[in-house]
């Protein structure tokens, strides 16, 4: 008997006894290969060789069917999928998928866009030849199910479409670049679906379309393969961490499904919507051995349809049951992942009437086979993990591929068995989205036409368009009723004892008028769910059983963008005369006569774009408000000279800004707004959070030099090259010591990040270094200090602000944290303290800001000041005669008047008593004390959206500070003003600093003597 025959007999016997038909329900297709179809003997033997234990595979993937015409992944990989020491580049994965397409009519490859660095993204459709021939007709049917308006909500017609339609199950892999296993698993999965003639696989192929994007983060994939090749060439050395994934962000690329700022998100979203897919299933690798975290833990996102929650439970539970039946350990669902934030890639489906799914399997961060030892909380048995992973196991990339493919195949098969149910639910979720105004509401969201920040409003509307949300525009003025506001009941202590009991008054409804041209986002549309989720407010109870939110707890876009968004429950809004908007109508331009052009400042980032676009123009900023005729202008208004009206008009129309031509300049003090030279400073610790800042600046077309902390020491004179240094957050709990010292140099080896023949993709459009370990160093610290002393501006945020404080760059400012405070990615209220500061130009008194447990700033007027007396500080009088407000007396002595102690608010630098002023060189001169630009709101007004617990710890403390140092300034942020493309309201706090870098003292009150 040949080796092939012996192997076939063994597999048949193994499948029969381990997965006998009695294990499955009547009529259910068992997961067994077709004995009539030969297997690829050599490939199958390697599958067994690279699988480290028999229970780490399943009857679905322990063999590979043979084909005379269709190539296996081995033709590109040089070995089987999941083989040790082999990681393919994205180009190799695509090459194989296109070989499949060429060899089989059951496979089609589609290009779906490119990345920021120009690399291609693809989607691979695998189904029966008949299904692929009829793609267009099937897409039309799914489109009708996805928009019940097209069939007039006819449920009977929907049932006919359900019976005829083939569902689309969209699988995405490797959005997180260090999680390396999905591409090879998906290469082999595509082969199996195209070639395998077993009834189990054939039912999937004939009954549905499997759509696969094997690599989502293509730029990061190629970098990761470079690093792995470097590791193989230097097996005894530490290898560099993946400091850059895509051009901008790393792990946060899976938090972009709200703002849709990254190309990978846009490409996947458009593919999902264009195919009218029912499922988006994203593959990750950070949990042993397979965790279906879609079911997760509470709290669930408040805007998902209950039908989706049921679908999560159905598919997840069946997934676990099937794989447990196969004897595969460590397969579970539920867990502690809360399904609250809609920012994850998979949540594109949840917010667009589909089914979101996500696997975490167990990757080795490469293709090495390693012994893995787990933590007790990973292998302990719990109610949701009855068959946990082993405490210790030899684990291979092939093991990981086995779990990924088995999980996907069981999900695909179960979905196909129940596709009529899921297709009907797809229709029902779409229908319920359209019926939202008459159900839970609201009827619409309205963005008024008289919005002063028109350019920011347009940016928010463009996000809605990227989400495929329908936008309309009112052609006439209209009025809507607002829900009555409930009055808070009076406390019993406030009631008058003799007063007759008053009957509570019925709250009266109010109205609001909107001008023609206002934008209306109707909720009677298929994708109302995503619009509602992004524009509404969120509340996470501090008493919620889930005490460790997985990600941000708030994302209210109206607040984060700082524009008016009215939630309208009055259904009458849907009867207003309006027209659909595909392209936003033209806006802006210059009006009036004159050679000086005034652009009112409303803290719009587009003003910074304009300044850099009109490099040769003369632009001044007004330091005080002024009025020309009936037109009022704010502080910071741009006064532009030296540019033709035609050039200005074209520029500001493109930016959606308005200018008024003046015949003479206003009689207010002004200062120049120059084109600042910007250095953008990063570390080699992490580039994750600062990447969002680079993306924002690039979108705004604001140039900068991207330099590392190591580069600082190589620049002889920072001031000769730069006016402003931006030092955004480092993240990853980076300490000031790590920023200065970097990684240890006393042991280990250099960690290069350079383009070489071995690593041709590492640098791309980012930075490079021969060794990532060195930090800023103390010489670099001295360079930064000297830069500021000589007139430069250093802008820091959160952890880099703490770094600036730790090296003595902000006299009289300290930062602390609080274990009582929990502000988890929330939107908080801040208050404008110094409206005359150029940093505050364009802002109103109340500013909403993103905060994630920012540092708590406190101010002092004396360096190293401390209380001189024992015991706690008191702010009330001591025990004695009279009332609380009366002075005490001393018996037998003429009363003496106590000196009045000046009181300082929490955000202020306290006054220095005369006694402390005497011969005290530690007293900070008033002109050198921190200037408070923004402070956090009072405790009762701090929470705007999300989770704020223990907020009194940070309430009223400074949020943004301008600290003079020498001839320059250090700007300290406790909030993060630039984050995930979602916080445009606070961008201008950064941009105002840049635009007015050499006039930050403007508006400063004359300091006391």
């Amino acid at each position: 008997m040949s080796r092939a025959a012996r192997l076939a007999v063994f597999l048949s016997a193994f499948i029969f006894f381990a997965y006998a038909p009695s294990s499955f329900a009547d009529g259910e297709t068992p997961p067994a290969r077709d004995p009539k179809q030969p297997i690829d003997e050599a490939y199958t033997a390697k599958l067994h060789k690279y699988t480290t234990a028999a229970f780490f595979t399943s009857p679905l993937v322990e063999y590979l069917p043979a084909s005379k015409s269709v190539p296996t992944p081995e033709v590109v990989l040089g070995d089987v999928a999941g083989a040790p020491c082999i990681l393919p580049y994205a180009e190799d994965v695509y090459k194989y998928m296109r070989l499949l397409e060429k060899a089989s009519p059951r496979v089609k490859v589609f290009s779906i866009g490119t990345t920021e660095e120009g690399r291609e993204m693809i989607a691979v459709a695998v189904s029966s030849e008949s299904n692929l021939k009829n793609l267009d007709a099937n897409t039309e049917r799914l489109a009708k199910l996805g928009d019940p308006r097209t069939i007039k909500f006819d449920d009977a017609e929907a049932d006919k479409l359900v019976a005829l339609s083939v569902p689309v199950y969209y699988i995405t892999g490797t959005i997180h670049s260090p999680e390396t296993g999905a591409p090879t698993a998906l290469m082999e999965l595509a082969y199996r679906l195209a070639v395998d003639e077993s009834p189990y696989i054939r039912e999937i192929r004939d009954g549905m379309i499997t759509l696969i994007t094997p690599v989502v983060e293509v730029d990061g994939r190629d970098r990761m393969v470079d690093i792995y090749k470097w590791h193989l060439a230097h097996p005894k050395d530490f290898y560099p961490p993946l400091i850059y994934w895509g051009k901008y962000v790393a792990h946060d690329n899976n938090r972009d499904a709200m703002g849709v700022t990254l190309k990978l998100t846009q490409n996947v979203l458009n593919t999902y919507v264009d195919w009218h897919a029912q499922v988006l299933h994203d593959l990750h690798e950070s949990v042993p051995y397979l965790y279906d975290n879609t079911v997760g833990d509470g709290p669930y996102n408040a805007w998902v349809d209950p039908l989706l929650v049921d679908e999560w439970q159905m598919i997840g539970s069946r997934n676990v049951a099937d794989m447990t039946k196969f004897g595969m350990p460590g397969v579970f669902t539920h867990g502690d992942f809360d399904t609250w934030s809609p920012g994850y890639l998979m949540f594109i489906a949840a917010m667009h009437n589909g089914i979101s799914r996500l696997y975490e399997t167990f990757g080795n961060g490469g293709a090495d086979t390693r012994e893995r030892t787990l933590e007790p909380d990973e292998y302990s048995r719990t109610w949701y993990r009855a068959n946990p992973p082993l405490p210790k196991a030899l684990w291979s990339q092939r093991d990981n591929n086995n779990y990924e493919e088995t999980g996907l195949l069981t999900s695909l098969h179960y979905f196909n068995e129940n596709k009529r149910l899921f297709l009907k639910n797809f229709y029902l979720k779409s229908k319920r989205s359209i019926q939202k105004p008459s159900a839970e509401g609201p009827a619409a969201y309205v963005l008024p036409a008289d919005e002063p920040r028109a350019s920011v409003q347009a940016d928010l509307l463009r996000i809605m368009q990227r989400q495929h949300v329908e936008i309309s525009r009112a052609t006439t003025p209209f009025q809507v009723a607002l829900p009555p506001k409930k009055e808070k009941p009076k406390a019993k202590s406030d009631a008058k004892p003799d007063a007759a009991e008053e009957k509570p008054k019925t709250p009266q409804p109010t109205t609001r008028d909107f001008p023609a041209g206002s934008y209306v986002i109707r909720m009677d549309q298929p994708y109302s769910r995503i619009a509602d989720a992004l524009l509404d407010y969120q509340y996470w109870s501090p008493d919620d059983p889930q005490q460790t939110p997985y990600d941000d707890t708030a994302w209210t876009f109206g607040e984060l963008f700082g524009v008016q968004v009215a939630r309208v429950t009055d259904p009458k809004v849907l009867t207003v005369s309006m027209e659909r908007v595909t392209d936003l109508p033209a806006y802006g331009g210059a009006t009036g006569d004159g050679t000086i052009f005034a652009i009112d400042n409303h803290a719009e980032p587009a003003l910074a774009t304009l300044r850099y676009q009109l490099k040769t123009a003369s632009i001044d900023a007004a330091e005080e408000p002024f009025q020309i005729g009936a037109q009022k202008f704010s502080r910071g208004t741009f006064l532009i000279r030296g540019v033709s009206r035609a050039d200005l008009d074209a520029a500001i129309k493109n930016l959606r800004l308005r200018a008024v031509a003046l015949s003479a300049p206003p009689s207010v003090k002004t200062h120049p707004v120059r084109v600042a030279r910007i250095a953008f400073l990063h570390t080699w610790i992490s580039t994750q959070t600062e990447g969002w800042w680079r993306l924002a600046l690039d979108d705004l077309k604001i140039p900068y030099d991207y330099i590392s902390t190591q580069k600082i020491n190589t620049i002889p004179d920072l001031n000769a090259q730069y006016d402003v240094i931006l030092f955004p957050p480092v993240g990853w709990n980076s300490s000031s010591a790590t920023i200065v010292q970097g990684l240890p140099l006393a042991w280990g080896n250099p960690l290069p990040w350079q383009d070489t023949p071995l690593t041709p993709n590492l640098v791309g459009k980012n930075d490079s270094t021969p060794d990532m370990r060195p930090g800023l160093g103390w010489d670099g610290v001295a360079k930064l200090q000297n830069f500021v002393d000589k007139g430069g501006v250093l802008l820091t945020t959160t952890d880099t602000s703490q770094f600036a404080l730790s090296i003595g760059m902000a006299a009289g400012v300290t930062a602390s944290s609080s274990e009582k405070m929990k502000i988890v990615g929330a939107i908080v209220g801040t208050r404008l303290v110094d409206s005359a500061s150029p940093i505050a130009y364009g802002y109103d008194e109340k500013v909403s800001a993103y905060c994630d447990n920012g540092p708590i700033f406190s101010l002092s007027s004396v360096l190293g000041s401390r209380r001189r007396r024992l015991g706690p500080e008191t702010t009330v009088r001591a025990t004695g005669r009279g009332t609380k407000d009366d002075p005490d007396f001393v018996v037998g002595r003429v009363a003496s008047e106590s000196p009045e102690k000046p009181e300082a608010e929490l955000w202020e630098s306290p006054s220095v008593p005369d006694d402390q002023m005497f011969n005290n060189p530690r007293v900070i001169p008033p002109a050198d004390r921190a200037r408070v630009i923004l402070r956090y709101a009072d405790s009762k007004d701090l929470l705007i959206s999300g989770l704020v617990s223990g907020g009194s710890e940070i309430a009223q403390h400074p949020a943004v500070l301008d600290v003079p140092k020498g001839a320059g300034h250090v700007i300290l942020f406790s909030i993060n003003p630039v984050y995930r493309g979602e916080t445009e309201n606070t961008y201008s706090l950064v941009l105002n600093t840049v635009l007015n870098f050499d006039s930050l003292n403007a508006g400063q009150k004359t300091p006391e003597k």
Side-chain angles (χ1 to χ4, degrees):
M1 184 182 290
S2 68
R3 181 179 178 188
R6 289 197 305 272
L7 185 58
V9 169
F10 169 78
L11 288 174
S12 299
F14 180 77
I15 291 169
F16 176 80
F17 288 110
Y19 313 103
S22 59
S23 300
F24 300 91
D26 291 342
E28 189 174 352
T29 305
R33 77 175 188 87
D34 180 2
K36 298 177 182 178
Q37 184 178 23
I39 63 169
D40 187 319
E41 180 183 358
Y43 196 107
T44 300
K46 288 184 177 180
L47 295 182
H48 286 261
K49 177 182 178 181
Y50 300 145
T51 299
T52 61
F55 44 73
F56 288 156
T57 189
S58 75
L60 291 170
V61 297
E62 63 185 2
Y63 71 94
L64 194 79
S67 171
K68 294 180 180 180
S69 59
V70 181
T72 71
E74 193 168 10
V75 299
V76 169
L77 299 176
D79 207 332
V80 305
C85 302
I86 295 177
L87 282 186
Y89 287 107
E91 184 179 354
D92 297 324
V93 179
Y94 298 171
K95 178 181 178 181
Y96 175 69
M97 294 301 194
R98 288 188 164 111
L99 287 174
L100 273 183
E101 178 185 35
K102 187 175 180 180
S104 172
R106 297 168 176 175
V107 180
K108 283 194 174 184
V109 179
F110 300 86
S111 185
I112 63 172
T114 58
T115 67
E116 282 80 3
E117 295 185 359
R119 293 181 177 89
E120 184 187 22
M121 290 179 64
I122 67 169
V124 183
V126 188
S127 191
S128 69
E129 186 173 356
S130 173
N131 288 339
L132 293 183
K133 280 183 178 179
N134 294 288
L135 273 181
D136 291 344
N138 189 66
T139 301
E140 288 180 13
R141 288 191 293 268
L142 293 177
K144 291 178 180 178
L145 290 174
D147 187 354
R149 295 174 299 184
T150 61
I151 58 173
K152 300 179 180 179
F153 304 98
D154 186 337
D155 292 350
E157 179 64 20
D159 289 338
K160 293 177 184 178
L161 292 168
V162 166
L164 294 171
S165 298
V166 178
V168 178
Y169 196 112
Y170 188 18
I171 302 167
T172 54
T174 313
I175 187 174
H176 283 167
S177 303
E179 300 169 4
T180 55
T184 50
L186 294 173
M187 291 166 71
E188 190 175 276
L189 179 73
Y191 175 89
R192 293 180 186 279
L193 291 173
V195 169
D196 201 328
E197 296 298 337
S198 69
Y200 193 92
I201 302 299
R202 195 169 60 244
E203 288 174 6
I204 297 171
R205 183 170 61 240
D206 293 344
M208 58 195 300
I209 297 167
T210 303
L211 191 64
I212 301 169
T213 292
V215 184
V216 173
E217 177 54 274
V218 186
D219 299 334
R221 172 66 181 189
D222 286 359
R223 291 190 175 98
M224 185 64 204
V225 175
D226 277 3
I227 285 178
Y228 187 67
K229 287 188 172 183
W230 193 95
H231 158 62
L232 293 178
H234 307 82
K236 295 183 180 180
D237 290 344
F238 296 117
Y239 52 87
L242 193 65
I243 192 73
Y244 295 100
W245 298 12
K247 175 174 171 56
Y248 294 112
V249 297
H251 190 274
D252 254 16
N253 61 9
N254 194 35
R255 302 296 185 273
D256 187 48
M258 290 187 279
V260 198
T261 61
L262 303 175
K263 294 291 187 181
L264 64 85
T265 317
Q266 295 167 18
N267 295 337
V268 171
L269 171 56
N270 291 337
T271 302
Y272 177 84
V273 171
D274 291 347
W275 281 76
H276 302 282
Q278 283 65 61
V279 181
L280 178 55
H281 192 151
D282 197 26
L283 302 183
H284 292 250
E285 302 173 16
S286 67
V287 177
Y289 295 103
L290 189 150
Y291 171 35
D292 180 353
N293 83 346
T294 316
V295 179
D297 195 4
Y300 279 4
N301 181 279
W303 292 267
V304 300
D305 194 303
L307 288 174
L308 172 59
V309 176
D310 293 340
E311 291 168 323
W312 285 340
Q313 307 282 347
M314 291 166 61
I315 303 175
S317 297
R318 179 57 184 265
N319 222 166
V320 174
D322 281 351
M323 295 183 71
T324 302
K325 199 181 297 182
F326 295 155
M328 303 177 80
V331 181
F332 64 101
T333 188
H334 291 291
D336 57 6
F337 169 80
D338 68 74
T339 311
W340 175 249
S341 169
Y344 313 109
L345 187 77
M346 66 160 177
F347 237 73
I348 287 172
M351 294 286 101
H352 292 80
N353 303 323
I355 302 172
S356 55
R357 301 205 66 212
L358 188 148
Y359 282 166
E360 293 280 6
T361 56
F362 203 34
N364 280 343
D368 291 358
T369 298
R370 298 166 49 198
E371 185 171 77
R372 302 294 298 272
T373 301
L374 307 185
E375 296 295 327
D377 65 342
E378 293 178 305
Y379 64 75
S380 60
R381 184 174 57 82
T382 68
W383 68 268
Y384 58 80
R385 191 171 53 207
N387 184 15
L390 306 177
K392 181 182 289 189
L394 185 67
W395 188 257
S396 68
Q397 182 174 232
R398 183 63 224 180
D399 295 333
N400 185 35
N401 282 183
N402 288 340
Y403 271 74
E404 288 172 313
E405 290 186 61
T406 300
L408 288 170
L409 287 169
T410 55
S411 289
L412 289 167
H413 192 265
Y414 178 71
F415 191 88
N416 181 65
E417 285 182 318
N418 298 276
K419 62 185 175 186
R420 304 302 170 213
L421 167 67
F422 293 124
L423 281 169
K424 185 61 178 289
N425 279 358
F426 177 63
Y427 163 75
L428 289 174
K429 286 181 288 188
S430 302
K431 181 179 178 181
R432 286 148 69 108
S433 292
I434 298 169
Q435 293 173 335
K436 177 182 277 289
S438 60
E440 73 273 19
Y445 286 89
V446 179
L447 285 71
D450 54 2
E451 169 62 56
R453 308 180 81 199
S455 63
V456 182
Q457 182 190 70
D459 289 340
L460 176 52
L461 289 169
R462 290 187 189 105
I463 290 177
M464 293 295 113
Q465 289 179 320
R466 290 200 292 268
Q467 291 284 4
H468 294 262
V469 170
E470 298 170 1
I471 299 172
S472 301
R473 193 164 181 250
T475 58
T476 59
F478 63 97
Q479 184 182 83
V480 297
L482 301 178
K485 292 184 178 180
K486 295 181 180 179
E487 294 184 6
K488 294 182 179 180
K490 292 183 179 180
K492 291 184 179 179
S493 58
D494 295 336
K496 297 178 181 179
D498 298 331
E501 187 175 340
E502 295 182 7
K503 293 183 179 180
K505 295 181 180 179
T506 303
Q508 297 298 312
T510 57
T511 60
R512 180 170 177 180
D513 295 312
F514 293 96
S518 294
Y519 293 98
V520 181
I521 300 176
R522 304 171 63 103
M523 291 293 101
D524 55 350
Q525 61 168 297
Y527 299 145
S528 64
R529 192 180 318 279
I530 181 63
D532 193 18
L534 296 184
L535 299 176
D536 205 351
Y537 288 77
Q538 296 77 44
Y539 176 73
W540 184 302
S541 170
D543 297 325
D544 194 281
Q546 176 63 270
Q547 288 294 299
T548 53
Y550 195 79
D551 202 71
D552 291 343
T553 60
W555 50 84
T556 308
F557 271 31
E559 297 287 351
L560 289 175
F561 278 72
V563 297
Q564 303 173 66
V565 176
R567 186 177 189 268
V568 178
T569 57
D570 184 356
K572 190 172 65 174
V573 69
L574 301 177
T575 66
V576 171
S577 174
M578 63 182 77
E579 55 190 12
R580 279 281 301 277
V581 173
T582 52
D583 297 315
L584 297 181
Y587 180 92
T591 59
D593 297 317
T595 57
I596 301 172
F597 301 95
I599 301 179
D600 201 3
N601 195 326
H602 296 291
E604 295 174 86
L607 287 172
T609 303
L610 182 68
R611 169 66 280 192
Y612 280 87
Q613 187 173 336
L614 303 178
K615 288 183 179 180
T616 60
S618 171
I619 302 181
D620 293 321
E623 295 186 6
E624 295 293 336
F626 64 92
Q627 185 168 343
I628 305 291
Q631 178 85 41
K632 293 182 179 180
F633 295 90
S634 310
R635 278 192 181 94
T637 290
F638 273 21
L639 299 169
I640 305 173
R641 300 174 178 85
V643 61
S644 72
R645 188 187 187 101
D647 289 345
L648 178 70
D649 203 54
I652 62 178
K653 280 182 178 178
N654 186 52
L655 296 172
R656 303 183 75 81
L657 297 171
R658 284 182 169 175
V660 177
L662 307 178
S663 57
S667 56
V668 294
K669 188 176 181 181
T670 64
H671 63 256
V673 177
R674 307 186 202 278
V675 177
R677 302 165 300 166
I678 304 171
F680 189 113
L681 187 61
H682 75 89
T683 71
W684 288 104
I685 303 165
S686 171
T687 62
Q688 159 88 338
T689 311
E690 55 92 348
W692 293 116
W693 288 56
R694 283 188 285 123
L695 177 59
L697 292 178
D698 287 351
D699 284 347
L700 292 166
K701 296 180 174 55
I702 297 175
Y704 56 89
D705 285 349
Y706 186 56
I707 64 174
S708 76
T709 48
Q710 296 176 0
K711 183 76 177 291
I712 289 289
N713 282 319
T714 69
I715 301 175
D717 184 354
L718 285 172
N719 298 82
Q721 290 186 227
Y722 304 112
D723 303 305
V724 178
I725 296 178
L726 301 180
F727 197 4
V730 177
W732 297 98
N733 299 314
S734 298
S735 66
S736 299
T738 306
I739 292 173
V740 175
Q741 298 168 6
L743 297 176
L745 298 173
W747 60 82
N749 52 273
L751 302 174
W753 190 271
Q754 294 175 310
D755 283 346
T756 68
L758 186 63
T759 59
N761 303 289
L762 281 189
V763 176
K765 298 180 180 180
N766 295 314
D767 205 353
S768 64
T769 179
D771 188 1
M772 298 167 63
R773 296 176 301 164
L776 176 65
W778 292 110
D779 289 342
V781 168
K783 287 260 186 154
L784 284 179
Q785 291 173 328
N786 187 56
F787 168 75
V788 176
D789 286 338
K790 290 171 62 178
V793 174
L794 174 65
L795 187 148
T796 62
T797 307
T798 59
D799 55 9
T800 57
S801 292
Q802 292 176 302
F803 157 75
L805 296 177
S806 73
I807 60 172
M809 295 192 74
V813 183
T814 58
S816 62
S817 59
S818 170
E819 293 184 0
K820 297 179 181 179
M821 185 177 75
K822 185 187 288 186
I823 302 177
V824 184
I827 304 172
V828 299
T830 68
R831 298 292 181 264
L832 195 58
V833 175
D834 191 342
S835 60
S837 165
I839 298 174
Y841 282 168
Y843 284 99
D844 296 326
E845 180 198 358
K846 296 181 179 181
V847 180
S848 300
Y850 171 86
C851 180
D852 188 35
N853 271 0
I856 304 170
F857 293 147
S858 297
L859 303 185
S860 173
S861 301
V862 181
L863 286 177
S865 63
R866 60 183 177 87
R867 293 194 297 269
R868 293 190 175 189
R869 55 183 180 76
L870 299 176
E873 183 177 356
T874 61
T875 57
V876 296
R877 58 158 288 191
T879 303
R881 69 151 293 277
T883 67
K884 181 181 68 172
D885 301 320
D886 288 331
D888 197 7
F889 64 17
V890 176
V891 176
R893 196 174 82 187
V894 176
S896 59
E897 187 174 343
S898 300
E900 187 173 329
K901 182 179 179 181
E903 293 186 3
E905 302 286 0
L906 274 176
W907 62 87
E908 294 178 328
S909 295
S911 298
V912 183
D914 291 343
D915 189 56
Q916 289 188 34
M917 292 282 289
F918 178 73
N919 194 33
N920 189 352
R922 292 186 297 110
V923 174
I924 304 170
D928 292 329
R929 294 175 194 170
R931 187 176 183 183
V932 182
I933 313 302
L934 287 178
R935 68 167 177 90
Y936 286 100
D938 299 352
S939 292
K940 64 182 179 63
D941 300 318
L942 189 62
L943 171 63
I944 290 178
S945 194
L947 169 62
V948 172
S949 178
S952 59
E953 299 287 303
I954 203 170
Q956 297 188 341
H957 282 263
V960 181
L961 290 167
D962 174 3
V963 187
K965 182 180 186 329
H969 295 258
V970 177
I971 313 302
L972 306 171
F973 281 79
S974 171
I975 59 172
N976 185 355
V978 183
Y979 184 68
R980 291 182 177 175
E982 300 170 6
T983 61
E984 198 166 326
N985 186 35
T986 45
Y987 282 12
S988 287
L989 293 169
V990 175
L991 300 174
N992 282 346
T993 303
V994 171
L995 295 174
N996 301 279
F997 73 93
D998 56 352
S999 299
L1000 292 178
N1001 288 329
Q1004 179 105 38
K1005 295 178 181 178
T1006 304
E1008 62 188 71
K1009 294 182 180 180

